[in-house]
Amino acid sequence: MGKRKTVPFKLTQRNYFSKDRPHISYSMIKDFLSSPALYKKRYVLREPRPPMTDSMKFGSLVDAMLTNPKEAVKYRAGKKERGSSPEEDRYRVSEDAYAEAELLAKFVRSQPFWNSGKKDYQVVVEGELVGARVCGMIDAVFCTNEEPVLLDLKCTNSRAMSSANSWKWQVLDFGYHLQAAMYCELWRQRTGILPRFVHVTACMDGNGMPR
């Protein structure tokens, strides 16, 4: 018998989170830099992950509402649905949190920058960095006057947005600048053009209003 032909893995939106994906993402790199032991548990041994925090669910929900509305449905709360899987249940948020997320997403959509130029959502990019296959999913890519602008949405808290200095430390703590650099380089490898990168930050303030 001849050798079985290996089919190259073609990265798409649909299989981006596949366990068979040979690429490493920014979050994987971040976990490794934080703790090689954590990386091994999550990506080598594939041990069950702890439940998502409420803030993680909220941020992911707002992101989905803006970039992939159909995906936002799985966050809808209410009572636990009969026959739903643990994977589905782990995303659900309260009705109040869902309403807040809708308010924040509506606020972002109302901003002039969100309605300027042609844009694509959840754009998958891949390439190579220091000999490793890497990938990323960009929240949105805007083309204004033929200049590409990569947008990444960050839902945070009012304290982080209280001043430019506070946001700077948030960026450094979570490594947002490294993610931005990686996405820009992957875009350059894909198109030959080095793009602009913009973080879109949003939060609910102490009075329950979006900003």
Side-chain angles (χ1 to χ4, degrees):
M1 294 180 63
K3 291 184 178 180
R4 186 176 180 179
K5 187 176 180 179
T6 302
V7 179
F9 187 93
K10 185 177 180 179
L11 189 65
T12 65
Q13 275 188 6
R14 182 166 294 184
N15 66 14
Y16 183 82
F17 295 103
S18 169
K19 293 180 180 179
D20 298 324
R21 186 190 71 194
H23 312 69
I24 58 175
S25 65
Y26 168 72
S27 59
M28 295 172 71
I29 296 172
K30 180 182 174 184
D31 284 344
F32 183 82
L33 294 175
S34 172
S35 168
L38 173 65
Y39 179 93
K40 182 177 181 180
K41 286 181 179 180
R42 285 186 173 177
Y43 307 109
V44 179
L45 302 178
R46 300 190 186 281
E47 295 182 0
R49 295 195 179 197
M52 294 174 69
T53 64
D54 289 343
S55 59
M56 289 170 63
K57 290 180 183 180
F58 185 82
S60 296
L61 173 55
V62 174
D63 192 280
M65 287 177 169
L66 289 167
T67 64
N68 188 2
K70 291 182 179 179
E71 185 76 3
V73 176
K74 71 180 181 183
Y75 293 86
R76 198 96 206 202
K79 295 180 180 178
K80 182 176 179 179
E81 297 180 6
R82 182 176 299 176
S84 60
S85 68
E87 182 65 18
E88 292 172 326
D89 291 330
R90 74 189 292 263
Y91 288 99
R92 301 192 190 284
V93 300
S94 68
E95 288 291 346
D96 288 344
Y98 196 93
E100 276 198 357
E102 285 184 315
L103 188 61
L104 192 57
K106 182 179 179 180
F107 174 74
V108 173
R109 280 194 295 266
S110 71
Q111 303 306 305
F113 73 86
W114 195 262
N115 299 293
S116 61
K118 177 185 176 183
K119 55 184 175 293
D120 295 305
Y121 299 115
Q122 295 189 330
V123 178
V124 172
V125 288
E126 60 180 314
E128 184 177 303
L129 292 176
V130 292
R133 294 180 70 181
V134 295
C135 64
M137 183 180 285
I138 306 166
D139 286 340
V141 177
F142 282 60
C143 289
T144 305
N145 297 324
E146 304 304 322
E147 179 187 30
V149 180
L150 314 187
L151 287 185
D152 189 62
L153 178 70
K154 299 297 184 187
C155 286
T156 183
N157 54 66
S158 56
R159 179 181 296 179
M161 290 179 62
S162 62
S163 69
N165 195 53
S166 296
W167 175 244
K168 180 190 76 173
W169 287 111
Q170 179 93 344
V171 168
L172 295 176
D173 285 345
F174 288 93
Y176 295 159
H177 58 306
L178 300 177
Q179 181 188 35
M182 176 176 155
Y183 284 5
C184 285
E185 171 57 21
L186 293 180
W187 186 266
R188 187 196 65 77
Q189 291 184 22
R190 170 178 168 168
T191 67
I193 301 172
L194 188 63
R196 290 174 56 204
F197 190 97
V198 177
H199 279 125
V200 178
T201 58
C203 75
M204 302 297 290
D205 66 18
N207 297 315
M209 297 300 293
R211 55 176 292 203

